[in-house]
Amino acid sequence: MLILQNLSYQHENKSMLFQNISFTINNQDKIALVGNNGIGKSTLLKIITGKLQSYSGQIIQNSVPYFVPQLFGQFNDLTIAEALAVKDKIKSLKEILEGIVTEENLQLLDDDWTIEDRCGEALSYWQLQDLDLDKKMETLSGGQKTKVFLAGIMIHEPNLVLLDEPSNHLDFAGRKLLYDFIQSTSSSLLIVSHDRKLLNLLNKTFEMSKNGIAVYGGNYDFYHDQKEIENHALEQDVQSKEKALRKAKEKERETIELQNKLDSRGKKKQEKSGVARIMMNTLRNKAENSSSKLKDVHAEKISGISEDLRQLRSSLPAIDQMKFGFSTISFPKGKMIFRAEELNFSYKNQLLWKENLNFEILSGNRLNIKGINGSGKTTLIKIILGELKSKTGSITSLAKNAIYIDQDYSLLHNNKNIYDQAQSFNDCGLEEHDVKMRLNRFLFSQNDWDKPCSALSGGERMRLMLCCLTISSESPETIILDEPTNNLDLQNIEILTAALNEYQGTLIVISHDESFLEQIDIKESILL
């Protein structure tokens, strides 16, 4: 069991990242932890594991949790055995079996006589049977590093496992193993992920915000349905408040007009009746004070309604605040864009693909380049774009305007600020206010325009990239995306999905996210 009570975390600059986080994880709970990028999900996991210290609150737990991190750079100098914290046990086991039965070896082994067998079984389950425990972590791919730490769950058999984006680097086969493990394990799980297929295997959803945790008693689909109901109610509140604001402004105008008429009529009567000038001034001052009070009353009411409306609008999901506006130029359907004939590539004189590739991509096609890690998906993209030369065969390209967007959105220049980056795509002479209007559509307010691109999160980089594409005079005829959802939270995946569903050109995607591929209507594949 794990209990968090009023947990808060403060940055070094004294700003509060989150506060009042409270929840309980019971035995065999399988929980999704969701929330926008930057809200502190990974930080919370590190606090639970003791890697970071909270600002306030307390954690009550009856065992040490096992942590599968999102990033592995800090382990590069370690061997697999060291990263899994089994090196000393295995060394002691081997020495004992060789007759070196010391008190130290017995203490280190702690009666764990099956440790070496469990390591072998665990690595084999995760398809790492060819890896030696003495192999350095820095020699492994991202997917292999993830699997090493997933193997650690089977080795250490913890009661509670914390996983931070565990499917990020896994191919389809690796994800299938992960999904099967999640369904079969008896350990309690707390998982941060944007993989909706994975999230639907869990039985509770915790939504994290700056002010606490909202608990939903179901998987991601259940949570999503409940959020839609909540957001619909929020939209109704926004519309109601907008109506109230219009009525308040109209009432203010009518009241002031009526007061002005009454004041004017009274003044004329006073002039006709010969009221003394000093008395006229007194009456005029009273009328002005009365009008001023009326204005203050209405201004206060309007200000209150406006503030309520601002807060309601700020609570709307980002996707409901955005407008994409891709160029409406229609692309001719069925036109040949790319054709590969007997295509292959070689590394050190060894062909990359067992069979030469033959395929044709037509205008308007939506397809996925599919294959296990290391099968050459990104290499194929570079050949298609003319950045690499094939060893055999040929690639024919008739694409007039193809754009390649990798998972880091590297088309953005880190040395530029947001506004200058947007202007660099302004090839049709949009006025400055039009460019800024487009930035506002993609949730970049005036306070953001001077922010350097290097400081943007994955979701912000994606939104700025989409904004740039809508600023350009002509939408690209072909968009090629390489693992576009890897660094995005669920909200930003929805934004990207909505934008791609509005796009009418040819779409080529490398992704292992089956839910994402389904939602952007990918129906064809090139299998490597």
Side-chain angles (χ1 to χ4, degrees):
M1 175 180 285
L2 172 74
I3 301 172
L4 268 62
Q5 295 179 337
N6 299 317
L7 213 66
S8 300
Y9 182 79
Q10 190 179 60
H11 288 300
E12 290 183 1
N13 64 5
K14 305 301 182 184
S15 65
M16 197 68 72
L17 178 61
F18 57 75
Q19 54 190 356
N20 302 322
I21 299 293
S22 298
F23 60 77
T24 298
I25 300 178
N26 296 306
N27 291 337
Q28 298 190 1
D29 271 349
K30 297 180 180 181
I31 297 168
L33 180 62
V34 301
N36 294 342
N37 279 354
I39 202 64
K41 301 184 295 295
S42 296
T43 299
L44 180 61
L45 296 188
K46 289 175 183 176
I47 291 173
I48 294 172
T49 58
K51 299 180 185 301
L52 285 176
Q53 183 67 40
S54 65
Y55 174 73
S56 62
Q58 64 174 330
I59 300 173
I60 303 168
Q61 51 191 332
N62 55 14
S63 63
V64 178
Y66 181 86
F67 183 43
V68 179
Q70 181 180 0
L71 304 173
F72 306 101
Q74 68 271 34
F75 303 103
N76 279 345
D77 291 336
L78 305 180
T79 64
I80 293 175
E82 289 170 333
L84 291 174
V86 296
K87 179 185 176 183
D88 291 341
K89 271 193 176 185
I90 290 177
K91 179 175 178 289
S92 296
L93 174 63
K94 288 181 176 179
E95 289 186 359
I96 290 171
L97 294 175
E98 291 170 359
I100 309 174
V101 186
T102 65
E103 186 65 28
E104 182 184 6
N105 279 339
L106 289 171
Q107 285 182 350
L108 285 171
L109 184 60
D110 193 25
D111 282 337
D112 193 357
W113 299 98
T114 63
I115 180 65
E116 192 169 26
D117 292 336
R118 290 204 315 280
C119 287
E121 290 168 4
L123 291 174
S124 180
Y125 175 87
W126 292 103
Q127 300 176 340
L128 300 174
Q129 58 269 23
D130 296 331
L131 292 187
D132 190 284
L133 287 170
D134 292 328
K135 194 174 182 65
K136 279 290 187 77
M137 290 288 289
E138 65 184 354
T139 65
L140 307 183
S141 69
Q144 288 175 318
K145 289 175 182 176
T146 300
K147 288 179 179 180
V148 163
F149 280 91
L150 289 171
I153 303 172
M154 298 174 127
I155 294 167
H156 294 287
E157 300 174 336
N159 293 323
L160 173 63
V161 182
L162 312 179
L163 301 101
D164 194 355
E165 299 287 0
S167 62
N168 251 16
H169 300 287
L170 300 180
D171 56 23
F172 284 107
R175 289 187 181 213
K176 177 66 167 58
L177 286 173
L178 176 62
Y179 301 153
D180 290 345
F181 173 77
I182 285 171
Q183 289 177 294
S184 63
T185 184
S186 59
S187 297
S188 299
L189 304 175
L190 179 63
I191 303 179
V192 172
S193 178
H194 62 258
D195 181 342
R196 285 160 289 187
K197 188 165 184 177
L198 184 159
L199 296 176
N200 275 328
L201 301 175
L202 310 178
N203 54 27
K204 288 183 185 176
T205 303
F206 289 177
E207 183 187 54
M208 185 176 176
S209 68
K210 287 184 178 180
N211 299 316
I213 291 281
V215 177
Y216 294 81
N219 64 8
Y220 178 76
D221 281 347
F222 174 84
Y223 158 76
H224 188 268
D225 290 344
Q226 294 301 306
K227 290 297 291 183
E228 283 196 337
I229 293 170
E230 292 174 16
N231 291 334
H232 178 70
L234 181 59
E235 288 170 7
Q236 296 294 106
D237 288 345
V238 168
Q239 292 173 12
S240 175
K241 196 63 70 174
E242 286 173 340
K243 185 176 180 181
L245 182 60
R246 287 194 299 271
K247 282 188 174 181
K249 288 181 176 180
E250 187 177 336
K251 184 66 175 175
E252 178 191 43
R253 180 181 55 78
E254 290 174 352
T255 303
I256 291 174
E257 285 179 356
L258 178 60
Q259 184 64 41
N260 288 339
K261 285 180 182 178
L262 292 174
D263 291 345
S264 178
R265 193 178 302 164
K267 182 179 178 183
K268 288 178 181 177
K269 283 184 179 180
Q270 292 156 11
E271 287 174 347
K272 285 182 180 179
S273 61
V275 176
R277 180 178 294 276
I278 189 168
M279 181 61 71
M280 288 274 287
N281 288 338
T282 300
L283 292 171
R284 187 184 71 240
N285 288 339
K286 284 183 177 180
E288 287 175 353
N289 287 336
S290 177
S291 295
S292 177
K293 285 179 181 178
L294 274 174
K295 287 179 180 178
D296 288 344
V297 168
H298 284 286
E300 186 176 346
K301 184 176 181 180
I302 288 171
S303 176
I305 295 173
S306 296
E307 176 57 23
D308 290 344
L309 182 57
R310 186 194 65 77
Q311 291 184 6
L312 285 171
R313 282 174 172 162
S314 69
S315 300
L316 283 170
I319 194 168
D320 291 340
Q321 303 173 48
M322 293 180 66
K323 296 179 181 178
F324 298 110
F326 280 114
S327 169
T328 56
I329 295 174
S330 60
F331 301 107
K333 300 294 181 184
K335 165 191 166 187
M336 193 274 284
I337 301 288
F338 301 105
R339 178 186 291 133
E341 296 177 292
E342 300 299 324
L343 195 70
N344 216 320
F345 188 76
S346 69
Y347 287 108
K348 298 180 180 178
N349 295 321
Q350 183 172 354
L351 291 176
L352 178 57
W353 300 301
K354 291 180 180 178
E355 296 182 6
N356 294 341
L357 303 181
N358 293 277
F359 59 81
E360 190 171 74
I361 300 174
L362 305 180
S363 178
N365 282 172
R366 291 183 163 232
L367 56 90
N368 175 36
I369 298 179
K370 192 173 181 179
I372 63 172
N373 289 343
S375 60
K377 299 183 291 293
T378 301
T379 298
L380 177 57
I381 290 298
K382 290 182 177 179
I383 294 172
I384 288 174
L385 293 173
E387 296 176 12
L388 287 176
K389 187 172 178 58
S390 64
K391 176 70 173 179
T392 68
S394 64
I395 185 82
T396 303
S397 172
L398 298 180
K400 294 180 181 176
N401 184 13
I403 188 167
Y404 171 60
I405 303 173
D406 62 18
Q407 61 184 284
D408 295 319
Y409 299 90
S410 303
L411 281 175
L412 303 179
H413 297 282
N414 286 332
N415 59 336
K416 290 185 177 180
N417 62 33
I418 287 176
Y419 174 74
D420 289 340
Q421 175 62 57
Q423 274 287 15
S424 70
F425 276 72
N426 183 14
D427 55 6
C428 56
L430 287 177
E431 297 289 337
E432 180 179 329
H433 72 274
D434 286 322
V435 173
K436 290 177 177 177
M437 183 178 69
R438 302 284 178 98
L439 286 169
N440 275 311
R441 279 185 195 168
F442 284 83
L443 311 183
F444 295 108
S445 67
Q446 184 174 352
N447 294 332
D448 299 317
W449 297 339
D450 290 331
K451 186 188 293 186
C453 293
S454 59
L456 301 183
S457 68
E460 289 171 325
R461 292 177 75 84
M462 179 274 295
R463 283 192 277 113
L464 181 55
M465 188 72 251
L466 291 176
C467 179
C468 289
L469 294 183
T470 66
I471 287 173
S472 182
S473 60
E474 187 176 340
S475 294
E477 187 178 36
T478 302
I479 294 179
I480 303 172
L481 294 158
D482 194 345
E483 297 289 3
T485 63
N486 262 13
N487 298 313
L488 303 184
D489 59 21
L490 291 163
Q491 175 180 258
N492 280 301
I493 290 175
E494 286 192 11
I495 290 171
L496 177 61
T497 299
L500 293 177
N501 283 334
E502 186 178 304
Y503 173 68
Q504 297 298 310
T506 306
L507 191 61
I508 303 172
V509 183
I510 296 174
S511 177
H512 297 114
D513 187 336
E514 293 182 56
S515 298
F516 173 68
L517 294 173
E518 182 180 332
Q519 291 192 354
I520 60 173
D521 199 30
I522 297 291
K523 289 186 167 59
E524 303 176 53
S525 295
I526 296 174
L527 183 60
L528 301 182

